[in-house]
Amino acid sequence: MKSSESSSIGNMKALILVGGYGTRLRPLTLFRPKPLVEFANKPILVHQLDALVAAGVTQVGITLIFSHETEPLGTAGPLALAREILSSNPEPFFVLNADITCEFPFKEMVQFHKGHGKEGTIVVTRVEEPSKYGVVVCAEDGMIQRFVEKPQEFVSNKINAGMYIFNPSILDRIEVKPTSIEKEIFPAMADSGNLYAFELQGYWMDIGQPKDFLVGMCLHLTSLKAKGAKLATGDGIVGNVLVIGPNCRIGPNVTIGPDVIIEEGVCIKRSTIMKGSKIKSHSWLDSSIVGWNCVIGKWVRMENVTVLGEDVIVSDEVYINGGKVLPHKAISASVPEPQIIM
Amino acid sequence: MEDPNGNAIIKAVILIGGPQKGTRFRPLSLDVPKPLTPVAGYPLVQHLIESCIHVPSVKEVLILGYYPADEITPFISEIGPLYSSIKIRYLQEYTRLGTAGGIYHFRDQIRAGLSNTSCFILINGDVCGDFPLSEMLEFHSIKRDIPALLTVLATEATRQQSSNSNFGCIVEDKNSHRITHYVEKPETFVSTLINCGVYICSLDLFPCISKIFSQRQANYYAGEIQDNNGDCWESIALEKDIITPSVGNTGCVYVYRSNRMWSQVKTAGSAIYANRHYLALYRERQPERLANSRCKTRNTPCKIIGDVFIHQTAQIDPTCVIGPNVSIGKNVVVGPGVRIKESIILGDSVIQDHSLVMYTIVGWNGMIGKWTRVEGTPCDPNPNKPFAKMDNVPLFNDEGKLNPSITILGCHVRVPSEVVVLNSIVLPYKELSRSFSNEIIL
């Protein structure tokens, strides 16, 4: 006998909104869709799929929205497109933004949503500087009272975390014309007391930009460790085939993809090394993202959110400070100031 | 007097100036007199001494300057035994006497033991190079209608560099090599032939200076001249006061041309250039001074690229890669996996694991942490322009920004692990706590 809760989540569907061209994460996303870029060694999309599967969700729709990146957190359009599928049963469904990382508490979200019994639940997260965002003002029970864009004075420190549960009835609120769910639908739902805020525990980060991608990675790894996940310690094997030479210092907060070779005396901190890359001896990397199949020479220094696209070759002894290097480039001279290398 | 082979004995005089000079060599010259700064493993002035010693008839080298004697004499006593065939002495001027004033003041010491027809070598201490002194002496002694008073070593510079007030410019008579026109540091173009600051002087020079001295003295007593700019009235410049008036068709100043290695050593940046060229000279003439990767018996089991000097007391890890054009001083310790190129590492410094040092001078007792990058920008002469010389670039450009230059760490500077120091000048005893680029760090 299944419990009523798990059987109902089993019937739930999820719609994942993956952004358009992912321009903010370039050069990683120049030739590769953002959802397939590995975050902590797993494609961004797969983190959510895994969490949904773990929560018992059976059907997931993925939609691509080509929107202006100034409004990263989705629009209502895809919901209208998926109307038939989403309204095929009366169960509520998930709508998830693909660009975020957190612990994905889907079961708890469902519990909360069913607990208040209204039309929609928005996951909110606390931020330190709410004035940079649109904030959500809600009552103690979570009922949302209003939304305030970039508040000058403190009204709330909770912001929309980009994860929602809706009853199919929300679809009646959406017309076929382009609609911003955040700006048009949510305020109307809040006015009628139909929208509740579920406060996220633990970490949250929008990983749509390289700088935040690295912050998110650190948070993700810290959370994995806190949950008792076995992270690599010392010289060892991470991923499929990883060679780490002697006298290296890897970490803290580093993810290394499969088939990566790290030679002797390399120091890597707060960075992601994607599949198939090679870091030669005595190099030093901090706060950098090395794309797929790159080769980093000896005594190279990379820092300050340097991002290398696929198949970038960096010569020995080069210094890259905050460079964004497009795929298939060979870098033979230092880049001492942040810039884009076409 | 003659040496046992019957050659007339000659002397060499090296002018090293004093503490008020060499300020562009800071921060290194804050701690050690500029002439004693090692380049290619040996103090700048020692290279000049050695170039004189290669001339067989030189029996004495006199070093003239106004540094306090206790700053220079320990060095003289240290190197004296190395050159047993000659005497080396430091003669201290009581004040800044100028290039001709200094030799005039010590004329008796210079003349002593020389025959009246003899001559002496005179070298300005702020140049470096491969001077053809024997050839110059031979040229100087050629029998002429008007015997040579002075022979000036000259080299070719670019048109642009010779007209921006850096050099003394020479016009010669192509057949006799007599100097027909001389201008010290002209602001417009005069000639691409420039004075190298290396001379052969006849003893007849002293009566010439004496005339000027007496004239000055008379004027001084008549109240017509005052001391100015800290230069006393006795200060006499060889270039302006002697050469300029003595040239012309009936003059007695000759020029000897050479296109061998030569450079001014004014800024610390030029020390990197001088380092490279002296190392190249070792390769040609004293290869035993160079570290050699094929020679495992010396203390160089690590990979050596190009010309490298490593002091025998330095400890270099076998996993290092050193070169080209690196000099490593006494008791320096270099940890595993370190890369050094185009740099001078002065005595008692420590460079820890995996760090990279390029186009940098690390002062005495420097400390560089692990995975640190210390890098400068070379300011070498343009290799694509024939005869281009080292530019003495000012520290700041027209917009008030620091011109990219080699990185210089003063003595006892500590650079922590994992930072980058780029195109910066760090004054002595500074403990850095973060990365720096394009800064002077007080």
Side-chain angles (χ1 to χ4, degrees):
Chain A
M1 273 288 280
K2 286 178 179 176
S3 76
S4 62
E5 193 195 324
S6 69
S7 73
S8 64
I9 206 172
N11 288 328
M12 284 180 71
K13 301 181 178 70
L15 187 69
I16 300 180
L17 311 174
V18 298
Y21 293 105
T23 53
R24 294 187 306 159
L25 204 53
R26 282 177 181 173
L28 294 173
T29 48
L30 207 56
F31 296 122
R32 185 178 299 243
K34 181 160 65 180
L36 300 186
V37 169
E38 293 93 343
F39 173 78
N41 286 344
K42 204 151 75 172
I44 292 172
L45 187 61
V46 175
H47 285 274
Q48 286 182 339
L49 291 176
D50 283 354
L52 287 167
V53 169
V57 171
T58 51
Q59 195 175 4
V60 180
I62 298 162
T63 73
L64 281 162
I65 324 158
F66 291 88
S67 64
H68 291 293
E69 294 291 331
T70 46
E71 294 193 23
L73 291 179
T75 79
L79 269 79
L81 287 174
R83 180 188 299 265
E84 274 185 33
I85 305 167
L86 295 175
S87 56
S88 64
N89 67 26
E91 285 295 324
F93 57 86
F94 291 97
V95 174
L96 307 171
N97 198 287
D99 290 355
I100 57 156
T101 178
C102 66
E103 287 172 3
F104 300 119
F106 294 136
K107 280 186 180 165
E108 294 82 351
M109 283 167 67
V110 171
Q111 225 168 6
F112 176 83
H113 183 74
K114 297 206 163 164
H116 66 68
K118 300 293 186 189
E119 204 168 31
T121 297
I122 298 181
V123 178
V124 294
T125 185
R126 287 168 191 261
V127 291
E128 284 184 358
E129 295 177 61
S131 59
K132 290 197 284 192
Y133 305 87
V135 299
V136 177
V137 183
C138 54
E140 239 168 68
D141 66 348
M143 193 173 80
I144 294 175
Q145 291 156 338
R146 60 197 168 104
F147 295 89
V148 184
E149 261 311 303
K150 299 194 169 68
Q152 294 306 300
E153 275 183 45
F154 183 86
V155 286
S156 160
N157 59 0
K158 299 184 180 78
I159 66 159
N160 181 343
M163 297 187 290
Y164 320 109
I165 297 182
F166 300 125
N167 293 340
S169 59
I170 191 183
L171 299 167
D172 300 332
R173 296 177 181 271
I174 299 169
E175 295 173 47
V176 188
K177 63 171 188 171
T179 312
S180 161
I181 194 169
E182 292 86 359
K183 290 202 175 136
E184 294 171 51
I185 312 297
F186 287 171
M189 288 170 76
D191 285 348
S192 58
N194 262 311
L195 199 57
Y196 276 70
F198 171 84
E199 193 173 330
L200 187 65
Q201 301 303 310
Y203 73 100
W204 176 89
M205 197 72 211
D206 176 349
I207 54 172
Q209 302 183 48
K211 189 166 170 275
D212 299 337
F213 183 95
L214 288 170
V215 174
M217 180 199 66
C218 297
L219 295 169
H220 179 74
L221 291 179
T222 308
S223 154
L224 283 181
K225 194 170 185 185
K227 283 201 233 157
K230 196 177 168 296
L231 297 184
T233 51
D235 296 350
I237 304 289
V238 186
N240 296 343
V241 188
L242 165 68
V243 185
I244 293 187
N247 305 317
C248 287
R249 204 175 80 203
I250 312 296
N253 297 316
V254 173
T255 64
I256 294 172
D259 305 324
V260 167
I261 295 172
I262 294 177
E263 293 185 351
E264 188 184 350
V266 167
C267 179
I268 307 177
K269 308 194 302 190
R270 210 175 172 275
S271 295
T272 285
I273 316 295
M274 303 285 191
K275 186 180 178 193
S277 285
K278 179 177 188 178
I279 319 286
K280 293 192 187 172
S281 330
H282 314 299
S283 285
W284 184 90
L285 280 72
D286 182 23
S287 299
S288 296
I289 303 175
V290 175
W292 309 268
N293 302 310
C294 289
V295 179
I296 313 294
K298 295 177 180 179
W299 288 288
V300 165
R301 180 185 178 97
M302 289 177 20
E303 63 184 319
N304 193 15
V305 199
T306 286
V307 184
L308 306 186
E310 187 165 4
D311 178 36
V312 168
I313 296 169
V314 180
S315 299
D316 289 355
E317 301 162 21
V318 159
Y319 170 42
I320 306 181
N321 174 19
K324 309 284 183 285
V325 185
L326 269 60
H328 312 295
K329 285 292 288 186
I331 305 293
S332 56
S334 288
V335 182
E337 297 300 329
Q339 58 176 284
I340 295 161
I341 293 133
M342 295 287 285
Chain B
M1 261 195 235
E2 295 180 342
D3 70 8
N5 300 326
N7 294 316
I9 285 181
I10 63 161
K11 294 191 186 182
V13 177
I14 300 171
L15 306 172
I16 60 169
Q20 290 86 357
K21 286 283 186 180
T23 55
R24 279 181 285 172
F25 216 66
R26 288 175 179 170
L28 297 174
S29 55
L30 289 172
D31 302 286
V32 168
K34 173 179 156 186
L36 301 189
T37 304
V39 157
Y42 297 88
L44 280 167
V45 69
Q46 195 171 348
H47 291 285
L48 302 179
I49 293 171
E50 289 193 348
S51 66
C52 299
I53 284 164
H54 289 140
V55 181
S57 45
V58 170
K59 288 290 169 273
E60 185 169 29
V61 178
L62 300 172
I63 295 168
L64 262 60
Y66 47 101
Y67 287 101
D70 60 358
E71 290 187 19
I72 305 293
T73 45
F75 160 75
I76 306 280
S77 334
E78 193 189 313
I79 64 158
L82 302 177
Y83 311 106
S84 52
S85 61
I86 59 145
K87 301 285 173 224
I88 304 170
R89 270 202 289 166
Y90 176 58
L91 302 176
Q92 189 192 341
E93 299 167 36
Y94 62 92
T95 185
R96 199 156 79 191
L97 292 174
T99 39
I103 54 173
Y104 181 68
H105 185 74
F106 291 109
R107 59 196 179 278
D108 289 341
Q109 282 83 351
I110 295 169
R111 271 196 300 226
L114 298 185
S115 67
N116 283 340
T117 55
S118 189
C119 56
F120 64 96
I121 298 165
L122 180 64
I123 302 177
N124 243 335
D126 63 353
V127 301
C128 72
D130 174 20
F131 314 132
L133 295 175
S134 296
E135 294 87 338
M136 283 176 76
L137 281 163
E138 206 173 302
F139 173 83
H140 186 80
S141 323
I142 293 173
K143 295 260 181 294
R144 301 179 171 94
D145 295 342
I146 308 167
L149 177 71
L150 264 179
T151 296
V152 181
L153 181 67
T155 192
E156 202 75 31
T158 62
R159 192 182 166 97
Q160 186 244 336
Q161 283 180 321
S162 60
S163 46
N164 62 2
S165 309
N166 269 328
F167 303 107
C169 293
I170 297 169
V171 182
E172 63 162 346
D173 173 67
K174 284 274 184 305
N175 297 318
S176 64
H177 301 294
R178 180 178 292 147
I179 298 182
T180 55
H181 186 62
Y182 183 89
V183 192
E184 186 63 13
K185 298 180 179 155
E187 284 172 17
T188 54
F189 178 71
V190 173
S191 156
T192 56
L193 194 61
I194 58 165
N195 181 352
C196 293
V198 177
Y199 312 91
I200 307 295
C201 311
S202 293
L203 295 182
D204 290 340
L205 186 64
F206 292 121
C208 291
I209 306 174
S210 182
K211 258 187 240 164
I212 295 167
F213 187 86
S214 307
Q215 184 62 50
R216 291 274 185 93
Q217 196 168 39
N219 292 349
Y220 177 65
Y221 290 150
E224 284 165 22
I225 50 171
Q226 256 103 45
D227 290 0
N228 62 344
N229 269 339
D231 280 337
C232 75
W233 62 269
E234 293 165 274
S235 171
I236 301 170
L238 186 69
E239 301 84 354
K240 196 166 93 277
D241 298 322
I242 310 287
I243 301 178
T244 305
S246 311
V247 299
N249 292 329
T250 57
C252 45
V253 183
Y254 291 84
V255 62
Y256 185 87
R257 279 171 178 263
S258 164
N259 284 325
R260 295 200 210 163
M261 185 276 269
W262 176 85
S263 177
Q264 290 181 323
V265 188
K266 299 257 192 209
T267 60
S270 52
I272 292 286
Y273 179 74
N275 185 56
R276 179 159 78 236
H277 281 91
Y278 277 128
L279 289 172
L281 278 185
Y282 292 166
R283 185 174 3 113
E284 212 176 290
R285 296 173 196 172
Q286 291 161 292
E288 70 281 0
R289 282 190 171 176
L290 292 179
N292 188 326
S293 49
R294 282 161 297 177
C295 168
K296 301 270 183 194
T297 53
R298 277 201 65 189
N299 58 334
T300 55
C302 73
K303 189 174 176 202
I304 300 285
I305 300 170
D307 302 331
V308 172
F309 171 89
I310 298 176
H311 195 276
Q312 55 190 7
T313 58
Q315 298 168 46
I316 316 288
D317 190 273
T319 56
C320 294
V321 181
I322 314 279
N325 306 317
V326 172
S327 298
I328 295 180
K330 213 190 270 184
N331 299 322
V332 167
V333 177
V334 183
V338 168
R339 176 84 181 94
I340 307 176
K341 61 191 232 187
E342 304 285 355
S343 293
I344 300 174
I345 315 295
L346 296 175
D348 300 303
S349 293
V350 176
I351 301 174
Q352 294 185 336
D353 320 7
H354 316 296
S355 286
L356 169 75
V357 178
M358 57 197 271
Y359 293 103
T360 292
I361 300 176
V362 178
W364 298 270
N365 294 288
M367 198 345 254
I368 294 174
K370 295 180 181 182
W371 281 297
T372 285
R373 183 183 183 99
V374 184
E375 182 183 359
T377 299
C379 32
D380 289 354
N382 185 345
N384 299 320
K385 279 192 185 164
F387 310 121
K389 297 289 172 284
M390 189 83 203
D391 269 318
N392 296 316
V393 194
L395 277 178
F396 297 94
N397 63 21
D398 294 340
E399 288 150 22
K401 288 196 175 149
L402 197 63
N403 278 320
S405 71
I406 66 154
T407 285
I408 307 162
L409 309 183
C411 72
H412 291 277
V413 165
R414 298 175 73 87
V415 184
S417 290
E418 302 183 40
V419 303
V420 53
V421 178
L422 198 62
N423 303 337
S424 291
I425 295 169
V426 187
L427 268 62
Y429 294 96
K430 186 76 193 172
E431 206 154 312
L432 303 185
S433 54
R434 58 173 174 93
S435 294
F436 287 91
S437 62
N438 305 302
E439 272 188 63
I440 295 177
I441 300 139
L442 291 174

